[in-house]
Amino acid sequence: MFFTGIFFCDLDFRRKAHPQPLEMDSSLRAQIHGIVRRLYQHPSKLFPTQQPRSFDRASFVNIFQDCDSYVVSQKANGLHMTLVFANLPKLGNFCCMMDRSENIFIHEVVAPADFFLGTLITGELQDDVFYAFDAVSYCGRSLLFEFYEKRMECSNRISEFFDGEILRFSGKPLFYRTKKTYGMRDFLANFRSISNDDGLIFMPIDKPLTKTLPFKWKEKHTVDLMVRFRRLESSPRFAHQIVQPLGIGNVSLEQTENCILLSTFDDLAGPDLSIVDFCVVLECLISPGMCVVPVKFRHDKKSANLAATVLGTMRSVAENISRSEIVDMFLSISSQ
């Protein structure tokens, strides 16, 4: 039996629901946040998944020596989102996405009734496709302690059901896909890109993602930093200061005149004297000299990377594992 997300009708169980407006009262938002925490079995966090750590030389060698214990996938250049199917008295059955700034986007969807018993999927939103990379709960059954392979099997079941358009928001169709993972020995022969290349993710197949740190390799290394913008007295320009995370040493921002993003912001905000002092998360490219160059405002995030993540990424930059080295390692195991 099928029910429509947001509400159902006994007389017409395939009736299309209309998306709820984004403006929702604090009580409803808190209830949806509560569902996410319950499915994650976490008292406070809404995104308690493990963030991948950057390769260093030791982990690079160890993973390829134990290659049959890992799968590899593309680190797509999308937005990290949580997809939820659940039920609330005020909404009935509903489907929503939530970004890392805790913004909630309600979608219309027709899905099996069991989905709304509690299904939580995390993934990346890339253009009009949601690429699932982890299943936390499926049809009311917690997958938190299941191995990664088992969790992705549940996501594949969702992909099989939604063979085509599944969500619609403000008239825009969205599609559900389970992100493709590859055995490491078969990766070079079978890999197909899904977005602008942003690196690779290496995940143990017999571990739960919420309990194990996956590894990542990137050719260009970025970190997310909280930066304070403070207007200089009697000047249209801003001073910029990294305020989060603490404990990352003498990392400095590229000077404004050399950074297109910051200089453009200065130019656009120049005449608006109401913009005086604020903080925002910036995605920053780490240069070999350990200076960071802002490349993107991350309005989808409320906090910076942890200090350990930033320091680990800086070590990866220093150790400089190149694309050709990665390819050579894949070639060596594919021929075994």
Side-chain angles (χ1 to χ4, degrees), residues 224-259:
D224 296 327
L225 306 174
M226 181 72 75
V227 176
R228 181 185 181 190
F229 284 68
R230 184 170 51 85
R231 188 183 290 276
L232 299 173
E233 187 175 353
S234 303
S235 170
R237 299 297 174 184
F238 287 81
H240 312 95
Q241 177 188 6
I242 299 172
V243 293
Q244 285 184 12
L246 301 175
I248 59 173
N250 296 320
V251 176
S252 61
L253 286 173
E254 186 70 67
Q255 293 298 313
T256 304
E257 58 268 19
N258 298 324
C259 176

Side-chain angles (χ1 to χ4, degrees), residues 33 63 70 86 120 137 187 196 199 232-233 240 255 280 289 310 322:
H33 287 174
I63 286 174
Y70 288 83
L120 190 153
S137 179
F187 174 71
N196 293 330
L232 299 173
E233 187 175 353
H240 312 95
Q255 293 298 313
V280 67
V310 175
S322 67

Side-chain angles (χ1 to χ4, degrees), residues 158-178:
I158 298 175
S159 294
E160 290 169 3
F161 175 79
F162 291 128
D163 185 19
E165 179 183 324
I166 65 154
L167 306 173
R168 184 172 288 276
F169 174 68
S170 297
K172 179 182 178 181
L174 293 175
F175 302 86
Y176 184 102
R177 301 283 185 271
T178 298

Side-chain angles (χ1 to χ4, degrees), residues 24-256:
M24 59 180 65
D25 60 49
S26 58
S27 173
L28 183 56
R29 184 180 297 274
Q31 290 179 64
I32 295 175
H33 287 174
I35 288 173
V36 174
R37 294 188 180 99
R38 175 174 58 81
L39 295 176
Y40 265 123
Q41 297 180 20
H42 197 284
S44 59
K45 291 184 178 180
L46 293 170
F47 279 88
T49 53
Q50 300 292 327
Q51 295 300 308
R53 53 182 164 176
S54 297
F55 261 169
D56 55 23
R57 289 281 170 182
S59 58
F60 172 57
V61 172
N62 290 340
I63 286 174
F64 278 90
Q65 286 180 343
D66 192 22
C67 61
D68 292 327
S69 297
Y70 288 83
V71 290
V72 60
S73 61
Q74 183 176 6
K75 187 182 185 303
N77 192 20
L79 296 178
H80 187 174
M81 303 285 278
T82 293
L83 174 64
V84 182
F85 295 84
N87 181 283
L88 281 173
K90 186 173 180 179
L91 286 180
N93 293 328
F94 73 94
C95 172
C96 72
M97 281 190 184
M98 182 180 69
D99 66 19
R100 285 183 288 184
S101 288
E102 302 174 10
N103 297 311
I104 295 171
F105 308 91
I106 298 289
H107 296 267
E108 62 176 334
V109 62
V110 175
D114 285 352
F115 279 20
F116 300 99
L117 297 176
T119 298
L120 190 153
I121 310 294
T122 57
E124 291 172 294
L125 187 61
Q126 178 73 34
D127 297 326
D128 61 351
V129 181
F130 176 79
Y131 290 101
F133 58 69
D134 190 30
V136 176
S137 179
Y138 177 69
C139 296
R141 179 165 63 91
S142 176
L143 303 173
L144 283 171
F145 298 98
E146 297 284 356
F147 290 167
Y148 189 62
E149 212 169 29
K150 184 70 172 180
R151 290 158 76 139
M152 296 311 289
E153 286 176 6
C154 291
S155 179
N156 284 329
R157 291 176 200 164
I158 298 175
S159 294
E160 290 169 3
F161 175 79
F162 291 128
D163 185 19
E165 179 183 324
I166 65 154
L167 306 173
R168 184 172 288 276
F169 174 68
S170 297
K172 179 182 178 181
L174 293 175
F175 302 86
Y176 184 102
R177 301 283 185 271
T178 298
K179 182 187 278 190
K180 178 69 175 175
T181 60
Y182 303 86
M184 290 183 61
R185 296 183 190 276
D186 306 322
F187 174 71
L188 288 183
N190 297 325
F191 173 69
R192 297 293 182 270
S193 178
I194 60 175
S195 73
N196 293 330
D197 193 12
D198 196 35
L200 300 174
I201 300 291
F202 297 80
M203 178 66 199
I205 59 177
D206 60 350
K207 305 287 185 182
L209 180 57
T210 38
K211 304 295 180 183
T212 300
L213 284 171
F215 290 89
K216 67 179 177 181
W217 170 83
K218 296 178 69 174
E219 196 164 31
K220 295 181 178 180
H221 296 270
T222 60
V223 291
D224 296 327
L225 306 174
M226 181 72 75
V227 176
R228 181 185 181 190
F229 284 68
R230 184 170 51 85
R231 188 183 290 276
L232 299 173
E233 187 175 353
S234 303
S235 170
R237 299 297 174 184
F238 287 81
H240 312 95
Q241 177 188 6
I242 299 172
V243 293
Q244 285 184 12
L246 301 175
I248 59 173
N250 296 320
V251 176
S252 61
L253 286 173
E254 186 70 67
Q255 293 298 313
T256 304

